[in-house]
């Protein structure tokens, strides 16, 4: 994934030659003498080189559609998640473009904010909604528009674009807003919250179809009176191109002094929903038991990482390691360096509907899972026999699971292999992207406002 040319302004945005795709740099798609069968515009607040779950999912699906001959444009921001600082090589310009794996990426300028707090993030979200709506209105009319949450206002950009430009609209739900922000304590039930709930209902009503990532989310939507026939499920999955159990993690182990240690890793956003104070409490327990052979590795960044790291320093917990943000391409190597992967969310009823993408990444690398998520995620891990399920936020159960796998390496190997076999059979990205495209074609063919 290279860094391509960025242009401001973009005179080619109204392209009246659909039979050609423009060659911008070596990273752009080559000229082709046929019109792609479907033109897709995808609104996503997050996109690579950001490495969080929304960015990874959108990229993995879109690059497969491009390979199948379709024209895909993603409208996103300058990469800055989770710190709010723009990544090297990018600028927070009003509009810039690049090609990533054949995907045309239009990056809009936004008010930047770290992934923490309330008001600055709200302004960040709303600024993206406004900017992405304006760009989507200006570019050539696509066959279909997709808008994905999180965040909520990205979905509302889709509502406004489809209302003004009359484009068939698919809403992708990866998070139930505003309930999820209340679940992590970021908002109280006040007048603003009730306004968001009304906007939520309108957003669902405006979409021709809704695609969500698991049965639990579908249940939540039906509770909100969304007709079941309007909802499709396209789960997260394993990307064979990125996650390969033959990848070596030896350089990671050497760099962080993990050679000869049993490593339990959490790899992902260290945010308010992750509930990772449990990892610090587990580290305290392990230290009290003189388990110097075990290390906890927290890979990533987020709203609570600084706080947790300061707590670990204060407690002198040298058995827990924070890496900070790492490039998405390095995630498989960190998982390869791990003996077991921790997938964890706070003990909230809302999260029982979640199916974390970390499950598929760990299983794709044939690593056993310690799962601190109840509900649908626990059902999947148990059915796959891919790990040990624990009560969320329970450090005693977490330590017991780590020690069990550290003692029984054959069990750890068997659970990892079970997970690998299960996700490759049932959650392959190639098949999932084909299923998704079938939903797109159905939407275009049956929408009363299709082109």
């Amino acid at each position: 994934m290279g860094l391509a040319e960025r242009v401001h302004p973009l005179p080619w945005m109204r392209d009246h030659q659909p039979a050609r795709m423009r060659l911008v740099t070596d990273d752009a798609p080559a000229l082709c003498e046929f019109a792609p069968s479907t033109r897709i515009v995808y609104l996503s607040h997050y996109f690579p080189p950001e490495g969080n779950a929304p960015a990874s999912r959108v990229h993995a699906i879109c690059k497969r559609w491009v390979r199948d001959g379709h024209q895909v444009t993603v409208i996103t921001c300058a990469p800055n998640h989770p710190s709010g600082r723009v990544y090297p090589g990018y600028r927070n310009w009003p509009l810039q473009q690049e090609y990533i794996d054949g995907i045309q990426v239009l990056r809009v300028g936004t008010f930047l904010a770290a992934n923490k707090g309330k008001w600055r993030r709200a302004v960040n979200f709303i600024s993206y909604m406004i900017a992405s709506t304006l760009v989507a209105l200006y570019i050539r009319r696509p066959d279909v528009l997709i808008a994905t949450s999180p965040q909520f206002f990205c979905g509302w950009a889709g509502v406004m674009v489809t209302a003004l430009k009359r484009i068939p609209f698919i809403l992708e739900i990866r998070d139930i807003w505003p309930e999820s922000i209340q679940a992590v304590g970021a908002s109280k039930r006040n007048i603003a919250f009730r306004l968001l709930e009304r906007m939520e209902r309108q957003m669902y009503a405006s979409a021709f179809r809704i695609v969500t990532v698991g049965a639990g989310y579908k249940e939540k939507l039906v509770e909100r009176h969304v007709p079941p026939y309007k909802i499709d499920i396209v789960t997260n999955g394993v990307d064979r191109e990125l996650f390969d159990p033959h990848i070596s993690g030896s350089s990671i182990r050497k760099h962080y002094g993990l050679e000869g240690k049993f490593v339990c890793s959490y790899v992902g956003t260290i945010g308010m929903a992750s509930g990772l104070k449990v990892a610090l409490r587990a580290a305290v327990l392990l230290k009290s038991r003189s388990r110097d052979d075990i290390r906890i590795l927290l890979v990533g960044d987020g709203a609570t990482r600084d706080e947790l790291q300061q707590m670990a320093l204060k407690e002198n917990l040298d058995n827990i390691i924070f890496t900070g943000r790492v490039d998405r391409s390095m995630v498989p190597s960190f998982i390869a360096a791990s003996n077991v992967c921790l997938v964890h969310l706070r003990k909230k009823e809302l999260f029982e509907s979640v199916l974390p993408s970390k499950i598929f990444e760990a299983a794709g690398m044939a690593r056993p899972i310690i799962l601190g998520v109840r509900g649908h995620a626990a059902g999947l891990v148990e059915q796959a026999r891919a790990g040990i399920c624990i009560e969320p936020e329970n450090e005693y159960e977490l330590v017991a699971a780590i020690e069990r796998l550290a003692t029984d390496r054959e069990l750890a190997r068997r659970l990892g292999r079970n997970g690998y076999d299960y996700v490759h059979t049932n959650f392959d990205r190639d098949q999932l992207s084909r299923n998704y495209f079938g939903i797109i074609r159905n939407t275009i063919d049956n929408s009363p406002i299709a082109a």
Side-chain angles (χ1 to χ4, degrees), residues 62-135:
C62 288
K63 73 178 181 181
R64 286 167 170 80
W65 292 339
V66 168
R67 289 177 194 169
D68 290 339
H70 308 294
Q71 181 176 307
V72 182
T73 298
V74 173
I75 301 178
T76 187
C77 312
N80 69 93
H81 178 82
S83 67
R85 294 187 295 272
V86 176
Y87 290 15
Y90 290 85
R91 294 183 183 179
N92 188 33
W93 283 351
L95 188 61
Q96 52 195 313
Q97 69 96 23
E98 64 177 319
Y99 282 90
I100 296 176
D101 291 327
I103 305 162
Q104 183 187 38
V105 183
L106 302 180
R107 299 189 183 272
V108 298
T110 61
F111 176 86
L112 298 178
N115 187 35
K116 56 185 176 181
K118 185 190 313 183
W119 297 112
R120 290 178 63 85
R121 289 185 70 202
V123 176
N124 171 238
F125 293 163
I126 292 170
S127 68
Y128 170 78
M129 177 183 70
I130 295 169
S132 62
T133 297
L134 291 173
V135 170

Side-chain angles (χ1 to χ4, degrees), residues 195-436:
L195 174 62
L196 289 176
E197 287 184 316
R198 291 185 63 180
M199 293 176 66
E200 177 194 19
R201 291 192 292 271
Q202 181 60 45
M203 184 172 66
Y204 299 152
S206 299
F208 185 80
R209 296 206 69 79
I210 296 176
V211 171
T212 190
V213 295
Y217 285 113
K218 182 172 182 177
E219 293 169 5
K220 289 285 185 183
L221 291 170
V222 171
E223 289 175 7
R224 286 157 171 74
H225 308 293
V226 179
Y229 64 81
K230 189 176 180 175
I231 308 168
D232 294 288
I233 298 173
V234 180
T235 64
N236 290 316
V238 60
D239 193 334
R240 295 171 183 261
E241 299 172 12
L242 186 60
F243 295 95
D244 181 346
H246 297 102
I247 291 172
S248 171
S250 58
S251 61
I252 299 292
R253 281 183 162 265
K254 183 176 182 180
H255 180 77
Y256 289 99
L258 300 172
E259 293 162 311
K261 307 296 184 182
F262 185 88
V263 179
C264 174
S265 294
Y266 172 93
V267 184
T269 301
I270 303 174
M272 291 183 288
S274 56
L276 288 177
K277 286 184 180 178
V278 69
L280 271 66
R281 297 194 298 269
V284 171
L285 278 175
L286 289 166
K287 198 172 180 69
S288 70
R289 299 180 185 185
S290 301
R291 292 305 304 258
D292 189 55
D293 59 317
I294 295 173
R295 292 289 183 273
I296 296 175
L297 186 65
L298 300 186
V299 182
D301 201 359
T304 62
R305 197 260 291 182
D306 286 343
E307 177 191 1
L308 294 176
Q309 194 162 358
Q310 290 302 315
M311 291 171 63
L313 287 171
K314 186 177 179 180
E315 296 288 334
N316 195 29
L317 297 176
D318 54 2
N319 57 348
I320 187 165
I321 298 168
F322 294 80
T323 68
R325 185 179 71 84
V326 301
D327 190 88
R328 173 68 179 171
S329 63
M330 292 300 297
V331 167
S333 296
F334 277 96
I335 297 177
S338 309
N339 298 98
V340 61
C341 290
L342 173 64
V343 180
H344 189 272
L345 290 170
R346 290 175 63 181
K347 191 178 179 180
K348 297 288 183 179
E349 182 182 353
L350 177 66
F351 296 144
E352 294 180 17
S353 61
V354 174
L355 209 58
S357 59
K358 299 176 188 65
I359 293 174
F360 304 102
E361 295 172 357
M365 295 291 295
R367 291 300 185 269
I369 297 162
I370 297 176
L371 182 74
V373 184
R374 298 187 297 188
H376 288 267
L380 187 151
V381 169
E382 288 170 353
Q383 185 174 358
R385 295 175 296 168
I388 299 173
C389 296
I390 64 170
E391 181 186 26
E393 302 188 74
N394 188 323
E395 63 270 22
Y396 296 98
E397 290 193 12
L398 174 55
V399 168
I402 294 173
E403 290 186 323
R404 182 182 176 190
L405 294 174
T407 300
D408 192 344
R409 300 299 180 94
E410 176 55 29
L411 172 62
R413 187 204 64 78
R414 188 165 65 250
L415 294 175
R417 189 68 209 184
N418 289 345
Y420 177 86
D421 292 340
Y422 188 84
V423 299
H424 277 272
T425 300
N426 298 285
F427 297 96
D428 179 68
R429 282 280 195 199
D430 293 333
Q431 184 58 51
L432 292 170
S433 67
R434 287 191 290 269
N435 295 347
Y436 204 149

